[in-house]
Every structure is written in C-alpha cells, then in structure tokens.
Amino acid sequence: MRFMMIVKASQDSENGVMPSPELLDAMGRYNEELARAGVLVAAEGLHPSSNAIRISYPVPGGKPKVIDGPFTEAKEIIAGYTLIEVKSREEAIEWAMRMPDPHGFGEGQIELRQIFEASELTQDHDAIARIDELNAQFTRKPRA
Amino acid sequence: MNEPNVHRAIDGIWRIESAKITASLARMVRDVGLAEDLAQDALIIALERWPQTGIPDNPGAWLMTTAKRRAIDHMRRLKLRDRKYEELGWEIERQHEPDWDEALDDPVGDDLLRLIFTTCHPILSTDARVALTLRLLGGLTTEEIASAFLVPEPTIAQRIVRAKRSLAAANVPFELPPQAELAERLSSVLEVIYLMFNEGYSASSGASWIRPMLCSEALRLGRILAEIAPYEPEVHGLVALMEIQSSRFRARVGPSGEPILLLDQNRSLWDHLLIRRGLAAIQRAERLGKTFGNYLLQASIAACHARARTASETDWVKISALYDALSQVAPSPVVELNRAVALSMAFGPEVGLEVIDSLMQEPSLKNYHLLPSVRGDFLMKLGRKNEAHFEFQQAAKLAGNEKERELLLKRAVECDV
C-alpha cells in the first residue's frame, strides 16, 4: 500500500528561504534510507505559494474563480511530499516518525495520508464481489 | 501508548529492521537459521518490555544491540575459539571480494547482500529460495507466505526449516560470491525475485486476479538490490521490468476479472509514476556502459510499449531488434514466438510467418495454444482463411481457460465469413 508523507509549509519555506545545510543533509540521509529499504517511490519539494494559483468553484455549475498566491495560512499549504510503498499502516507510521523535523523551529508538521488502491476505486460492486468470491475459492483450495 | 498500540508499532519497526538485524547476526554467527532465531529473541524481548518502558528513541539500534548481545552470549556458551571472539564487531572481512568495493564501504548493505546471496543459494530448490527470501529479507511470517502462495502454513514452515538446515549442513559461507561465481549467483538471486513477482502477477493456477503482495515484495527486494548492488546492470534491468509491468496493474484486468491484452489496454490507467521509475532504472543501467543482458532487454521491450501513447504508435522495428538481441542472449522458443509477432507488426505477417513455421516442430511448444493462435492470426492477415480457421481451432483445443477458448473459437468462425 502507498502512503504520502506531506510536509506542510512554514513561514521560511513560503518566503523562499532554503533549509539549513544540516537539515538538507538530514533529509538527504533520510531519503537514502527510504531508498535502501526499497520503499521510496517519489519525493518532491514545491515552490512557495507565491507563484501558485488557487481555482475554486464557489457556485455549483458556475465558472471557476481563480486566486493568485501567495496564500496566507502556511499550515494549510504543502511544501513537499514523499510517496512510499509499504506493507502496512504501521510501517508507514514508523517511517513518518523517522522523518527529520522538516523546518526545525517549532513550525514542522508532517501529515501521513494513505493513497487509494485501484480496487478501492472500483465502483462496480458486482465485480468486487466476483473477485472476492474468486479469491476465497482459490484460498480454500490449496494447490498440491 | 497501550499494549496493543505498542505491539502494532513494533510490527512496523520490525518490518523495517528485521532483515538488517538478521543479516548482521548472520555475519557474526555464520548461520542464517541461528541468526534469525537470535533476531526473534530480540523481538520477543521488545514485545515484553516496550509496553512498560515505552518505545526507545532509536528502536532499530536498540533491537540490533539486544540481538547482538544475544549472539555474543550464545557464542560464549558455545565456547567458540578465542580468535573468533576478537572478530566480533563491525569489521568486515575483505578476502575474496576484490570487485565489491562500493559494497564494502557500507556494512549494512554488505550484510544484506550476503544475506540475499545466501537465501538464494543454488543448493536450495527454487521454492525453498523464494520462501526463505520472503522470510528473512521481507520479514514476512510463515502464515503470510503461505497465504501468498495459497499453500498450507505447515508446508511453508517445513520448507523454511529444511532450507536453513540444508544451508547449515552444506556449510554455505556467509560471504559474497567470489568473482568467478558472481554472474551465476547473481542470476540466481534475480531469478528468485522475478519468480516471486510473476507468481503474484499471473496466478499460475488459473484465476486471473493479481496477488499483489508477492509483486510488491519482489519489487521492494529489487529496489533494495538496486541500491546495494548498483553496479550490476541486470539488477536495474529487472527492477525496470517489474516497475513497468506493475504500471499496468490497473489496466490488465477487466471489470469481470478477464485479462486484457497489452495492446487493448486503456493506457490512461497505466501508472505513469512507475513507468517513469522503470525508464529511470533503464537509464541507470545504460550509464554503466555494459552489454544488455536478459532482463535489461526485456525491460527495454516493455519500455517501448510504455513510451507509446497509443498502441498504434508502438515502435515495432525497435522491438523486433530488441527481440533479435534477446534471442541471442537468452534463446527460447517463447522468445522466438514473441519475435515473430514483433517482426510481423514491423515488417508484415509473411516475415513473422517464416519464424513461426520454423517453430512448428518445437517439442516444448507442442501444447502451447499461442503458437497456433499466432500462426492463425498471420494467415488471416495474409488472406489464407482456411488455414487460419484450422489454426484457431487447434489453439482453442489447447487453450487453458474458458474465456480464451471462446475467443479463439469466435476467431475461427470469423475466418469463414
């Protein structure tokens, strides 16, 4: 299963201040550890929201409203994310706990979110039932 | 944290640490079975103690230290030779391994590499290699492995016990293979990983659904191997092949569980992140500047499909060339069959037919339904409908599953129009 570790923005990251060399180093080592454990799928950092836009649909069926960045609430902005593929939620939590404090001055915040699997997105309940049935039959009859 | 929560947290920690701990211990005690038992002891101590004391700040280091203490106690009890005592610790022995400099800079990676070479040792049967690798490198329980392979748990338990015993009995050293054996031993490791992947990818006993756990375990092992043995192009080739094949999970099974062939798949359902990773793995291998081996060629073929935005944009000329190379490196009737298909797509059905005709007497393909099915397809395209009809009927007789048989009979009927 896949999880996304989302690093929230801070005032510094929003102001385009680069992380300290120590933090960059710690993050680098952490990512390397993820890669060497075979769980790292992707890791990206995002530009500050000053060059972002926000598109909203205030009126259902109406035209979208476009707002230019920067946006004010740093903690509601994403500064980066790391995508991992792990065996269990517990493993994902353990990895998230090991991520270095991403900002280092009281503003660090990481959010861990599970990514939907293809099967969870299938709307066809008959198909899911058929697959479950197939799996169940299959598991009951062990191969010689 | 209450006890069930601590136990769940330990599950997560164990998954991350178990292979590293087992590998380190195996270097100390020179016996993977014993190493695993000692590592399990450390786990049990943690399960007892952490609910009271809380989880330590660095749980991995705690487990490693505890496990190593157990190992030292054990060796004291065995009154091992004094010299062996002094060797305990973090140093790595450097004999026999002239070409593994990068790995030697890195004790943990080095131990993991030794561990995987040991669990994939050629003295073990393939089944035993797969089970032992899942157990010691994946940290999976016997129950998990049994359910992944749809066999009863005692079967797997026995298989693992016997494998450990065989390794101990044969006195298999916990070492990286010497240079002369390296290629062969590495190919045994890659074979185990790819077998695991394929077992998950196409449940061989008929049901068409994907068994994802084996696939993700294989992919994870491949990704680990690519980090600890980055100088082996075939490792990246295998990773690339698995990444690209995995990218098609969502597209390869239809709503009622029927398989959808590559060229008919909805490409917007492909996982483009995995495709990108697969292409990057191929580039990593290319930068090593060595000749392409079996896996790298297969991955390059998969990459041609992955790069095509639509089936009609597929670069069949390049695919044919890659199959030509593959039939040199790893000749097999199935590769020839695929080469025939690629040639027909690139240069017309008569070119493909020539290759197919040379395969008709091949004993290993005698009962393989795809041979007459592909031949029928070429003949149909050449307007030789009577012959095509016959081939599709033959193929239908040999087809293993009902859905395929129906499809082939339908194609036979279409020849009569």
Side-chain angles (χ1 to χ4, degrees):
Chain A
M1 45 178 96
R2 281 187 191 175
F3 284 81
M4 185 181 269
M5 299 187 278
I6 301 166
V7 170
K8 297 301 188 65
S10 66
Q11 276 176 16
D12 267 8
S13 77
E14 276 297 281
N15 289 329
V17 180
M18 289 306 281
S20 68
E22 293 79 23
L23 182 57
L24 281 178
D25 190 47
M27 277 293 182
R29 263 182 286 128
Y30 175 68
N31 284 342
E32 201 176 305
E33 208 190 323
L34 290 175
R36 298 169 61 90
V39 298
L40 180 65
V41 178
E44 309 281 0
L46 308 185
H47 279 285
S49 71
S50 53
N51 78 347
I53 60 162
R54 203 171 257 177
I55 302 160
S56 56
Y57 295 87
V59 184
K63 280 192 174 170
K65 191 173 135 202
V66 177
I67 308 160
D68 287 319
F71 310 121
T72 45
E73 278 297 315
K75 289 216 158 147
E76 291 179 10
I77 299 168
I78 293 170
Y81 66 88
T82 303
L83 210 63
I84 54 173
E85 191 154 4
V86 293
K87 189 182 149 212
S88 63
R89 182 166 176 272
E90 286 68 37
E91 190 190 348
I93 294 173
E94 181 59 25
W95 281 118
M97 298 292 290
R98 293 182 186 197
M99 185 188 264
D101 173 352
H103 300 302
F105 41 87
E107 285 193 58
Q109 200 181 359
I110 300 160
E111 196 169 296
L112 180 68
R113 304 285 296 270
Q114 185 172 355
I115 293 174
F116 274 116
E117 305 283 325
S119 57
E120 294 175 299
L121 288 174
T122 304
Q123 296 301 307
D124 184 345
H125 295 282
D126 287 349
I128 293 173
R130 273 195 298 275
I131 289 157
D132 286 346
E133 173 61 18
L134 199 69
N135 282 340
Q137 281 180 1
F138 208 36
T139 323
R140 274 198 300 270
K141 270 186 277 173
R143 281 180 300 159
Chain B
M1 240 192 269
N2 59 19
E3 190 155 335
N5 282 344
V6 174
H7 282 188
R8 274 205 297 276
I10 293 174
D11 264 2
I13 294 164
W14 189 245
R15 162 76 171 179
I16 297 171
E17 305 295 342
S18 68
K20 285 187 269 185
I21 294 171
T22 306
S24 270
L25 293 185
R27 177 164 45 76
M28 292 171 67
V29 300
R30 306 272 154 182
D31 176 338
V32 290
L34 176 59
E36 197 210 359
D37 291 344
L38 293 165
Q40 289 286 334
D41 287 350
L43 173 64
I44 290 164
I45 296 172
L47 284 167
E48 284 166 4
R49 207 166 291 173
W50 291 359
Q52 269 82 51
T53 61
I55 295 172
D57 285 344
N58 190 339
W62 191 99
L63 286 166
M64 184 72 94
T65 309
T66 307
K68 283 192 167 168
R69 274 197 205 121
R70 303 285 300 179
I72 291 169
D73 289 349
H74 176 86
M75 293 180 80
R76 281 208 182 108
R77 276 199 303 275
L78 284 182
K79 294 205 177 76
L80 231 79
R81 284 171 302 141
D82 292 351
R83 235 181 63 72
K84 200 134 198 186
Y85 268 110
E86 288 155 23
E87 285 174 7
L88 294 182
W90 292 93
E91 314 79 41
I92 302 135
E93 289 162 41
R94 290 170 180 256
Q95 71 269 31
H96 302 315
E97 297 151 16
D99 284 307
W100 293 83
D101 291 340
E102 273 181 77
L104 288 170
D105 290 338
D106 154 31
V108 176
D110 192 37
D111 283 343
L112 280 177
L113 208 49
R114 289 163 194 240
L115 185 60
I116 197 166
F117 272 117
T118 307
T119 61
C120 297
H121 199 282
I123 64 154
L124 301 174
S125 73
T126 316
D127 281 353
R129 282 183 241 168
V130 171
L132 195 60
T133 304
L134 283 170
R135 175 91 183 123
L136 296 188
L137 281 122
L140 300 195
T141 62
T142 323
E143 190 188 347
E144 285 170 325
I145 301 170
S147 75
F149 281 99
L150 313 167
V151 296
E153 198 184 330
T155 311
I156 294 292
Q158 256 187 4
R159 198 175 286 171
I160 290 174
V161 168
R162 270 200 225 114
K164 288 181 192 162
R165 221 179 276 152
S166 309
L167 288 173
N171 227 342
V172 168
F174 191 68
E175 292 294 348
L176 296 176
Q179 191 61 29
E181 289 169 28
L182 183 61
E184 194 198 329
R185 296 285 304 277
L186 185 69
S187 88
S188 172
V189 171
L190 299 181
E191 185 197 345
V192 167
I193 296 176
Y194 196 42
L195 209 99
M196 212 180 271
F197 183 82
N198 274 326
E199 183 72 26
Y201 199 71
S202 50
S204 49
S205 16
S208 46
W209 199 243
I210 299 160
R211 300 213 298 277
M213 191 178 62
L214 285 174
C215 290
S216 44
E217 281 306 315
L219 196 47
R220 176 168 167 268
L221 284 172
R223 288 169 178 165
I224 293 174
L225 204 55
E227 295 303 313
I228 59 182
Y231 31 80
E232 291 297 337
E234 280 291 85
V235 171
H236 299 299
L238 175 60
V239 171
L241 182 60
M242 294 192 293
E243 301 267 16
I244 296 175
Q245 285 183 343
S246 302
S247 77
R248 300 176 192 146
F249 274 170
R250 268 179 295 188
R252 71 189 287 269
V253 183
S256 43
E258 78 280 11
I260 300 176
L261 297 176
L262 178 59
L263 294 180
D264 300 328
Q265 286 171 11
N266 176 352
R267 291 176 186 226
S268 68
L269 293 177
W270 286 358
D271 184 330
H272 292 270
L273 183 59
L274 292 184
I275 290 177
R276 212 173 68 196
R277 291 180 59 87
L279 298 178
I282 293 176
Q283 281 175 356
R284 253 180 115 176
E286 281 171 346
R287 279 198 296 272
L288 294 169
K290 299 183 188 163
T291 44
F292 278 36
N294 179 4
Y295 293 110
L296 202 46
L297 285 167
Q298 289 189 61
S300 305
I301 292 166
C304 284
H305 291 294
R307 281 197 202 95
R309 279 173 301 175
T310 62
S312 62
E313 281 178 40
T314 311
D315 186 348
W316 289 107
V317 174
K318 187 167 179 196
I319 293 177
S320 311
L322 288 164
Y323 270 116
D324 285 346
L326 190 60
S327 69
Q328 302 291 315
V329 172
S332 86
V334 173
V335 168
E336 279 304 287
L337 185 60
N338 283 311
R339 191 168 79 90
V341 174
L343 284 169
S344 86
M345 297 298 277
F347 307 108
E350 63 281 359
V351 184
L353 191 61
E354 232 172 89
V355 178
I356 287 282
D357 285 345
S358 69
L359 285 173
M360 293 311 281
Q361 302 306 320
E362 174 60 45
S364 64
L365 295 181
K366 207 177 72 188
N367 296 316
Y368 193 43
H369 69 282
L370 284 181
L371 184 64
S373 153
V374 168
R375 188 162 196 269
D377 185 63
F378 293 171
L379 290 166
M380 180 78 177
K381 283 176 181 154
L382 290 167
R384 292 156 65 175
K385 290 185 176 177
N386 287 341
E387 291 165 85
H389 176 99
F390 174 78
E391 293 293 350
F392 284 129
Q393 291 237 308
Q394 285 298 109
K397 275 183 213 155
L398 297 173
N401 91 32
E402 203 46 51
K403 286 201 173 84
E404 245 166 334
R405 187 168 313 138
E406 276 169 33
L407 190 80
L408 288 162
L409 287 173
K410 207 173 111 201
R411 294 206 66 185
V413 172
E414 282 164 7
C415 297
D416 302 335
V417 181

